[in-house]
Amino acid sequence: MNSPGLIPVDAELKRDTDAANEAISLQSVMLQVANTGSLGLVILDACRNNPFAAKMSRSLAARAAAGSGLGRIEPVGNVLVAYAARDGTTALDGDGRNSPFAAALLRNIETPGVEVTFMFRNVRDDVMEATRNAQQPFVYGSLSRKAIYLVAAPPADAAATKQANAAPAAAALSAPSATSAGAARWCSRKPRPPS
C-alpha cells in the first residue's frame, strides 16, 4: 500500500500482506475530509511501533520495503493532519488512562476562542512538557489566512490582542459541523477500558 495504512489495534494480522486487506489508507481518509467547506482535520494518535511484527510472517517482496510506521505526508487544500509524534519518531503510551498526546488534546480541543493552529501549538507544548521533550507532536498541512475556531470565536476586541496573526472575527470561521475529523491509534497496547 503506497499510502500509510491505519490498522485497528484489535486486528489479527498473520502476514504482512494482510495489512492491505485490513487497513484503511490514510490517503483515502484525507480525500474524504478534503471535501469540507472550511477545514478537514485528521488526528492520529499513533505510537508508530509495529505490535504485529513478532507474530507476522513476511513476504519476500515486502522485506525490502519494510517501514517503521507512519511516514511524512503532504495534505492538500484546507486539510491538517496532526500526528502524536513527528514522522520517524515514536509516541509514548504514558502511565495514565490516555497517552500524553490524547490527554493534551482533551485539555485543549474545546477551549473557546483559540484558533485551531494555536490549539495544536498548545497541545505540542503540553506533550513536550509531559514527556520532557521526548515526544514532539507535529501538524502537517497548510491553511489559508482565515482564522478557524473549533469552539466559539473570541470577541472582536480580544482576538487582536491574543492572536496577532489571526484574521478579524468577522472573517473567522467557527463551524465545527463543517469540520471532519478522523482518529486512529496503532499501539502495542490495547486501549484502556473506560473507568
Side-chain angles (χ1 to χ4, degrees), residues 78-106:
N78 253 18
V79 175
L80 290 182
V81 179
Y83 279 8
R86 188 180 188 115
D87 62 283
T89 64
T90 303
L92 304 172
D93 277 331
D95 298 326
R97 180 175 178 211
N98 297 307
S99 69
F101 179 74
L105 191 63
L106 288 170

Side-chain angles (χ1 to χ4, degrees), residues 154-162 169:
D157 57 340
T161 57
K162 283 188 175 181

Side-chain angles (χ1 to χ4, degrees), residues 9-25:
V9 292
D10 59 350
E12 293 292 331
L13 302 180
K14 305 271 193 262
R15 294 177 303 278
D16 56 350
T17 52
D18 292 343
N21 297 326
E22 294 193 45
I24 299 168
S25 161

Side-chain angles (χ1 to χ4, degrees), residues 12 14 21 30 36 54 56 63 73-75 97 99 101 105 110 121 123 128-129 138 146 190 192:
E12 293 292 331
K14 305 271 193 262
N21 297 326
M30 292 191 321
T36 62
M56 189 183 281
R63 283 179 201 204
I73 48 97
E74 297 294 336
R97 180 175 178 211
S99 69
F101 179 74
L105 191 63
E110 292 185 345
R121 290 178 191 182
V123 169
M128 292 189 74
E129 183 179 325
F138 212 82
K146 292 182 179 176
K190 299 278 187 197
R192 293 177 184 86

Side-chain angles (χ1 to χ4, degrees), residues 44-79:
L44 298 171
D45 186 10
C47 294
R48 296 173 190 278
N49 57 346
N50 184 351
F52 306 104
K55 68 176 184 176
M56 189 183 281
S57 65
R58 300 173 68 191
S59 69
L60 290 174
R63 283 179 201 204
S68 58
L70 296 172
R72 182 184 174 104
I73 48 97
E74 297 294 336
V76 295
N78 253 18
V79 175

Side-chain angles (χ1 to χ4, degrees), residues 111-115 147-156 158-159 163 167-176:
T111 305
V114 178
E115 202 273 339
I148 299 172
Y149 298 92
L150 298 179
V151 185
Q163 300 173 13
L173 300 173
S174 179

